[in-house]
Amino acid sequence: MLSPSSSSSSLDSVFDRPNSRATTPSSVLSSLSSHKSIGGIASQTPVTCLFVQSATVDADFLTLAFNTYSQEGCLGLCVPNDPNPRNILPFSDRKKTDATLKGQAFRVSILDANQRSPRQEDVDLSTSISTFPNVAQHFKAFSLAGLRAVTSTPLVGGYIVYTLERPPFNYTPLSMAPGFTLSKPSGGNVPTLEEWTNVWATWDLITLQMIPREMLYQKPIDLRHKCLFYIGHIPTFLDMLLCKAIGGSASEPQYFWNIFERGIDPHVDDPDHCHSHSEVPEKDEDWPILETIVSFRDRVRSRLVELYNDLQTGKRRLTRNIARTLVMTIEHEGFHIETLLYMLIQRAGFGTLPPPGFTAPPWEMIAQQWDAAPAPSTSTIVVGPATILLGHQDSEGDDAIPGAVEDVDNHVFGWDNESPERKFEVAAFRAEWRPITNNEFQAFWRAQGADCSRIPGSWVYEDGEMKVRTMYGPVSMEIARHWPVLTSYDDLLVYAQSKGGRLPTEAELRLFLDSYEVGYEGGSNTGFRNWHPVPATTGLECNNGRGSNGGVWEWTSTLFDTHEGLSPTNLFTGYSTDFFDTKHHVVLGASYATIPRLASRRTVRNFYQHNYPYPWVGGRVVYDL
């Protein structure tokens, strides 16, 4: 045990020695060299743990520290979680020393294999809340360093220990990633080539490493295409819109435009009724093979890279039309990342492979933390009355106006249904602090007769018990009981009515989220921090009620429909207007698999059919006053 009272073992002693060397001791490096990484996947318990005195961690320090000290794909990091921490982490260690990197002093401890976790009596399960400002700062630094917290364990005495890994992809906070520009830093949202590369890494991991060959021609959801379609659809969409924006002909093979142009969203209650879409092959043998599609994908990506080169060299001007095309195509891919995943999760555990390079969660341990997490002192909050603005000023029709053609810097581009800005008066209402949970909905479902033919798409009955689907396979309801339940609008509306409430309008939910949702940079469960929902953290007095809904979109009672001033897009004809059908409802927020550029723009509106049970959408109950 490291004690702050001992000069030989206290972290404080490092700061008392002005001549401490900024080096890694050779004894530690020797010990590190005897350990080998296991396939790039982090262990759930670290071999090496760094003890840092400052509660603020720096991304550059974290990058260098991970490169220097990580073993078996992971690194432990212990930092203060309290302004006045009482002691250092009570690990039993076999080698320890002091060091500095980037001006940051810390203690290096190499832990015994059988004692890598803190003792149970030293763990404080009630204090690890990712949306608390100090912990959110840690998560932001992890993201900037390209790292991910596999676990976070708070300790009695005011410390928190993280197990960190370097995943195959990671999303930089948007405040630290300005949009593409040719001159001064831009406040706009035109994606950089680096952002594209990260989205491609996400897409390729899912499509090429999580879908077994035998699943390519399968349909995990009957109301969607076979998996192979989506692998071809993404580059085809990009190819088609690039041609619209800058000219040129279709990339080879050109017939891909015929079969991969557009997917399907048939009416749930009448699958024969569907919007205009591509005609796809009926027989498996008539589809192109995966290798042909990947070669096509690479040609289209090269075309995009060439466009960026032309923009940077001045060979081509960055117009609003090109900028909008770049935003639309990267966000289209972002939306489809989530679409494909909510399809694949239906086969997770018996088909779909878990995400490689992301350590599987230690379910039992983190479930204990979730059980012990604090709840709001009251379950509801009065919101409003207030005047709220929905949408923003961004009409595609303005892109060709003289004087606006090259007005790109600091402009935020969006989808046609986000514009223009509209004002709404919201009367006071009472809202549940947190979305409906699996446990709450299960109790309601059982009270209604427990009909297994009518369960949320996120549940599965297996081995005699109801379980909740994850990308790692189904987990017990006990583990997932605090997560928001993911199911259709119709299901959640009936639940809300049984409680004497309803689901919120778009304006009401937007007002609530504006007031209390902290977002990706505030520690929310978006941008693949996890591959599953987590319990909501809103409603705690110590953070003025602010927190996260657990990483889900949320249903509204507002029908997805036209509004005054809407200018339908010509780049993606029918994107919104094809679904003004009284079937689709507006959903707001973001799921754990929503990329930050979508999760962080408050004007983004997603939409699903009211009786569609598969997307990652939850709901909160609101009450009239």
Side-chain angles (χ1 to χ4, degrees), residues 57-68 101-104 141-142 144-147 166:
V57 289
D58 175 76
D60 290 339
F61 163 75
L62 288 170
T63 299
L64 187 55
F66 192 89
N67 291 343
T68 304
L101 287 173
K102 289 286 187 179
Q104 176 73 67
F142 300 157
L144 288 170
L147 302 176
R166 178 169 286 146

Side-chain angles (χ1 to χ4, degrees), residues 211-260:
I211 307 175
R213 281 272 180 167
E214 59 271 20
M215 273 187 62
L216 290 174
Y217 300 97
Q218 297 175 8
K219 298 170 65 173
I221 294 175
D222 287 337
L223 297 173
R224 293 295 181 266
H225 278 311
K226 297 174 181 179
C227 296
L228 189 67
F229 170 86
Y230 298 94
I231 303 177
H233 170 61
I234 289 299
T236 298
F237 183 86
L238 175 58
D239 198 46
M240 296 180 75
L241 264 67
L242 284 177
C243 286
K244 274 190 176 183
I246 63 176
S249 59
S251 298
E252 294 292 343
Q254 295 189 12
Y255 80 92
F256 276 16
W257 283 27
N258 298 327
I259 62 174
F260 290 130

Side-chain angles (χ1 to χ4, degrees), residues 8 127 144 214 228 252 263 303 316 414-415 441 461 501 510 540 555 565:
S8 63
T127 62
L144 288 170
E214 59 271 20
L228 189 67
E252 294 292 343
R303 192 174 197 172
R316 189 179 295 275
W415 297 85
F441 194 80
Y461 193 71
R510 184 71 267 162
L540 301 180
W555 288 106

Side-chain angles (χ1 to χ4, degrees), residues 362-378:
W363 295 117
E364 298 297 334
M365 185 192 82
I366 56 179
Q368 290 181 36
Q369 292 181 306
W370 295 333
D371 286 343
S377 58
T378 59

Side-chain angles (χ1 to χ4, degrees), residues 590-604:
S591 85
Y592 58 88
T594 306
I595 61 175
R597 69 159 35 242
L598 290 169
S600 301
R601 190 168 74 243
R602 66 177 292 277
T603 58
V604 168

Side-chain angles (χ1 to χ4, degrees), residues 320-356:
R320 278 179 56 132
N321 177 258
I322 291 176
R324 187 177 301 280
T325 297
L326 295 173
V327 171
M328 185 175 288
T329 48
I330 197 170
E331 292 189 357
H332 171 262
E333 190 157 345
F335 277 128
H336 269 289
I337 284 171
E338 193 167 338
T339 299
L340 187 55
L341 283 174
Y342 79 62
M343 291 170 53
L344 294 177
I345 202 171
Q346 296 296 314
R347 300 285 179 87
F350 55 94
T352 304
L353 302 175

